[in-house]
Amino acid sequence: MIGTGSRLAPGKLARTCVPEAALFLFAQGCLVPQSVDELNTRPHSIPRVDLTKLPVYLLQPVLTLDPQEQADLTSTPTCHCQLDVSIPEIIADDPTVDIEVRIFVDYDVNVTASQPPIDRIRLDGSFTRTETFRQLQPIVLDSSKLRGVGLHVVELVIGERQGFALTDVSPPQRAMLPDFESSTFKFVVQVLQPNPARQSCSDPPQLAPQVKSCP
């Protein structure tokens, strides 16, 4: 039994609890407002070509393409030669993001006709995969895509898909949004003139990555 003179008497409990409750409420009223917005602190990745996996032919200064010779024109079906360029892997540090590879030929910021990519390749991310690389299928380049005889610069611009800016932002078709970065991989192709000494574009020596196609 608690006596009236005890330290735990009800009257004293009431007198000690009221100030504590008031202090608690006062303290609650002084809290600094906090944002409840979700913070995205993940740094954006810079996808890039894995240079250690490149085929030997991409280490040479220029690739050559003999697009078509007389026997290819008269064959049934008509045949031609093309380059099947293998860039096996793209490094992507974040396996969840979607990657886009845009391929340009002779890109010139001052020549509008050169700015649209000849191809766009999407490499989807995954929340169930942990690998930090993406497989890239061979890039097919024929004389039409390379815009005819001559020396041509092929560029791969690689970035997070959501990071590409609108196509009219400079440099057109390849600009990135703030906080995003892309990487670029280039190689040079020489498209040859027809050679009367050759019957077919597949006559030896046929150097990689050139292959004959007869659709």
Side-chain angles (χ1 to χ4, degrees):
M1 178 175 179
I2 301 175
T4 55
S6 169
R7 292 188 302 114
L8 300 179
K12 291 192 176 182
L13 277 174
R15 285 194 296 273
T16 57
C17 288
V18 170
E20 289 175 2
L23 287 172
F24 176 78
L25 291 173
F26 178 79
Q28 289 294 305
C30 294
L31 289 176
V32 177
Q34 300 291 321
S35 172
V36 294
D37 293 335
E38 181 180 355
L39 295 177
N40 183 6
T41 58
R42 177 184 64 82
H44 296 296
S45 62
I46 307 175
R48 64 256 183 220
V49 170
D50 187 346
L51 301 178
T52 67
K53 302 292 179 61
L54 291 179
V56 173
Y57 59 75
L58 278 174
L59 303 181
Q60 60 192 24
V62 180
L63 304 180
T64 58
L65 171 62
D66 180 358
Q68 198 172 50
E69 298 297 347
Q70 187 60 38
D72 305 314
L73 282 168
T74 57
S75 65
T76 304
T78 301
C79 299
H80 71 277
C81 285
Q82 63 192 33
L83 301 182
D84 286 1
V85 180
S86 176
I87 299 176
E89 290 185 5
I90 303 295
I91 298 173
D93 298 321
D94 186 342
T96 67
V97 299
D98 296 337
I99 303 300
E100 185 166 310
V101 181
R102 297 187 179 184
I103 304 175
F104 300 90
V105 174
D106 299 331
Y107 183 93
D108 188 331
V109 72
N110 297 311
V111 180
T112 303
S114 74
Q115 294 166 5
I118 63 167
D119 202 357
R120 296 186 185 194
I121 303 171
R122 178 170 172 168
L123 304 174
D124 289 334
S126 171
F127 285 92
T128 60
R129 187 176 59 223
T130 59
E131 296 90 347
T132 56
F133 63 88
R134 312 287 172 87
Q135 300 288 342
L136 186 63
Q137 295 299 311
I139 298 168
V140 177
L141 299 170
D142 58 19
S143 180
S144 175
K145 285 185 176 180
L146 291 167
R147 300 175 180 144
V149 172
L151 199 65
H152 303 282
V153 177
V154 179
E155 294 181 84
L156 279 63
V157 176
I158 310 162
E160 290 191 26
R161 189 167 185 267
Q162 67 173 356
F164 280 94
L166 296 176
T167 56
D168 57 352
V169 177
S170 185
Q173 303 280 355
R174 56 195 294 170
M176 303 299 290
L177 295 171
D179 299 327
F180 287 87
E181 291 186 56
S182 63
S183 65
T184 303
F185 180 80
K186 301 181 183 182
F187 57 92
V188 178
V189 178
Q190 175 76 55
V191 180
L192 303 176
Q193 294 273 8
N195 183 354
R198 292 169 63 87
Q199 292 296 310
S200 170
C201 61
S202 62
D203 288 350
Q206 181 170 229
L207 303 177
Q210 179 171 298
V211 296
K212 187 172 181 177
S213 175
C214 300

